[in-house]
Amino acid sequence: MMPANPHLLRVEEPAIIAVNRWLDGRGFPAERPLINLCQAAPTTPPPEPMRAAMARAIEQRADVHLYGPGRGAAELLGALAAKTSSHYGAAVSAENIFVTAGCNQAFCVAISSLCAPGDAVMLPDIEAAARLMTDQVKAILLVTPNNPTGAEYPDDLMTAFYDLAAIRGVALIVDETYRDFHSGTGTPHTLFRRSDWEDVLIQLYSFSKAYRMTGHRVGSIVAGGRFLHEVEKYMDALVICTNGIAQAGAAFGLEHLDDFVAAERAEYLRRKAALSDGFVTRLPDWQVHGLGAYFAWVTPPFGADSEATAGRLLDEQSVLVLPGKMFLPDGADQGALRIAFANADVDGIGDVVERFAELS
């Protein structure tokens, strides 16, 4: 047998891939078709103006078909720097931006550029982080709005993590893939206003959700220029540059599609409200731990085996969700489920709630 990296052999299969295998060879009754709330991804293409801009780029621009700058196309770097500065009320320049092939790559590149074998990255709460910090820790990771729970972290909590990272000389990585669907108004946090942010903060972002660009793979890292210099070395060996046509589309979106993004956010907030109302009125015995951008993290009243509950939902109600155990250490399963509710419209969420109630 061909050898494989022993470290990779110990990695569990990705949750989405594993659960989607449950659908292999399975049919669903006409009166109860499948509702797939497993993966949080738009199911419709980018808006027509963006598609038209990308088509024009294909036909009229030679540069999008060639190797581009390793850090990203100048138009996208400038547009994202301006948007980031405006969004956070801070000064962020194009030199602070690095474009990646999606936010998954942004995360992998950031970790690989920070950490060597044996190093660690922390994901605990603030008290645990302060208590457990060691010399092996090179970064603290926050995902807000959170995946899998949907929780939105307040500025004072993020500031506390920032201060801990700064004192201990480690990076604070903030993944804001879902920032465009934050339920609050105003600036989501003030970290970019700190005078030393380039020495502490690494922000990750994705164009996939807000602009329906999942297949085009455009994401970004916002960080200090010295760190991005190291990132550029890694990216040159990995992918050389991000797709030029996709970058043209992302730049167009930042410059012309604010109204579209606002409408998308309003729609997802309506879906969130519909699901929240459903739990209150029809599912009062379900515990709602988190409900935010794209996701709900809930515990039904069926015991502590989340995989068994998810299997029942699929078998009896034709609803596919992720078992919470897939996000937790061994032995930590308490029966929670991740529901990617943004994949259903308001009427669809009403149907989901009724199916949950029937299972109850």
Side-chain angles (χ1 to χ4, degrees), residues 27 49 60 69 80 92 100 116 119 122 129 152 161 163 170 175 181 202 241 295-296 305 312 319 345 347:
Q60 300 174 13
L80 185 55
V92 176
T100 60
D119 288 339
M122 303 186 81
E152 299 171 350
F161 274 110
D163 291 339
V170 305
D175 182 335
F181 308 103
I202 299 172
C241 62
F295 303 111
D305 190 331
R312 282 190 61 198
V319 178
D345 60 18
D347 290 339

Side-chain angles (χ1 to χ4, degrees), residues 229-301:
H229 177 71
E230 305 307 317
V231 168
E232 190 166 15
K233 299 177 190 176
Y234 187 87
M235 283 286 287
D236 185 68
L238 184 67
V239 71
I240 300 180
C241 62
T242 302
N243 182 283
I245 298 163
Q247 291 190 71
F252 179 89
L254 288 172
E255 293 169 349
H256 301 286
L257 295 180
D258 285 358
D259 289 345
F260 170 81
V261 173
E264 292 284 281
R265 175 178 178 271
E267 173 58 28
Y268 286 123
L269 291 179
R270 282 192 288 271
R271 297 177 187 185
K272 172 187 173 182
L275 184 60
S276 179
D277 291 344
F279 280 115
V280 171
T281 60
R282 297 287 288 129
L283 302 164
D285 53 347
W286 289 51
Q287 292 181 279
V288 180
H289 308 287
L291 179 56
Y294 264 77
F295 303 111
W297 183 256
V298 303
T299 301

Side-chain angles (χ1 to χ4, degrees), residues 74-103:
E75 60 178 336
L76 180 53
L77 298 179
L80 185 55
K83 183 68 69 177
T84 303
S85 298
S86 173
H87 194 72
Y88 297 96
V92 176
S93 72
E95 287 70 33
N96 296 124
I97 309 290
F98 200 108
V99 180
T100 60
C103 197

Side-chain angles (χ1 to χ4, degrees), residues 4-281:
N5 184 332
H7 300 296
L8 189 58
L9 291 174
R10 292 198 296 269
V11 176
E12 295 181 2
E13 187 176 41
I16 300 296
I17 294 175
V19 171
N20 273 323
R21 292 193 200 282
W22 297 0
L23 302 178
D24 291 348
R26 183 190 291 263
F28 298 93
E31 69 275 11
R32 189 178 287 120
L34 174 68
I35 300 177
N36 192 333
L37 304 181
C38 174
Q39 185 171 18
T43 56
T44 51
E48 190 282 330
M50 176 179 282
R51 300 199 306 272
M54 295 169 76
R56 289 193 300 272
I58 291 173
E59 293 294 334
Q60 300 174 13
R61 290 176 50 181
D63 63 301
V64 300
H65 302 283
L66 308 174
Y67 286 144
R71 291 198 177 202
E75 60 178 336
L76 180 53
L77 298 179
L80 185 55
K83 183 68 69 177
T84 303
S85 298
S86 173
H87 194 72
Y88 297 96
V92 176
S93 72
E95 287 70 33
N96 296 124
I97 309 290
F98 200 108
V99 180
T100 60
C103 197
N104 275 23
Q105 187 181 78
F107 173 76
C108 292
V109 168
I111 294 297
S112 297
S113 300
L114 281 170
C115 300
D119 288 339
V121 176
M122 303 186 81
L123 293 92
D125 62 34
I126 187 65
E127 290 81 11
R131 185 175 67 253
L132 298 173
M133 184 72 70
T134 69
D135 291 341
Q136 282 69 47
V137 174
K138 295 298 182 288
I140 301 169
L141 172 65
L142 303 179
V143 183
T144 180
N146 186 257
N147 177 7
T149 70
E152 299 171 350
Y153 300 158
D155 183 55
D156 58 348
L157 177 62
M158 297 181 70
T159 296
F161 274 110
Y162 183 102
D163 291 339
L164 176 63
I167 290 169
R168 297 304 298 264
V170 305
L172 176 63
I173 303 173
V174 180
D175 182 335
E176 294 189 83
T177 292
Y178 300 95
R179 78 174 188 199
D180 297 299
F181 308 103
H182 199 289
S183 63
T185 58
T187 303
H189 62 76
T190 58
L191 303 186
F192 280 113
R193 299 176 188 174
R194 301 288 289 263
S195 61
D196 60 346
W197 78 263
E198 293 191 34
D199 297 322
V200 180
L201 182 62
I202 299 172
Q203 187 220 42
L204 312 180
Y205 177 65
S206 172
F207 292 85
S208 293
K209 307 303 188 295
Y211 298 99
R212 304 179 187 168
M213 296 184 72
T214 54
H216 293 287
R217 312 310 303 134
V218 191
S220 67
I221 301 171
V222 183
R226 286 181 295 178
F227 176 70
L228 294 183
H229 177 71
E230 305 307 317
V231 168
E232 190 166 15
K233 299 177 190 176
Y234 187 87
M235 283 286 287
D236 185 68
L238 184 67
V239 71
I240 300 180
C241 62
T242 302
N243 182 283
I245 298 163
Q247 291 190 71
F252 179 89
L254 288 172
E255 293 169 349
H256 301 286
L257 295 180
D258 285 358
D259 289 345
F260 170 81
V261 173
E264 292 284 281
R265 175 178 178 271
E267 173 58 28
Y268 286 123
L269 291 179
R270 282 192 288 271
R271 297 177 187 185
K272 172 187 173 182
L275 184 60
S276 179
D277 291 344
F279 280 115
V280 171
T281 60

Side-chain angles (χ1 to χ4, degrees), residues 303-319:
D305 190 331
S306 61
E307 189 166 342
T309 300
R312 282 190 61 198
L313 277 170
L314 185 61
D315 292 340
E316 300 176 28
Q317 298 300 326
S318 304
V319 178

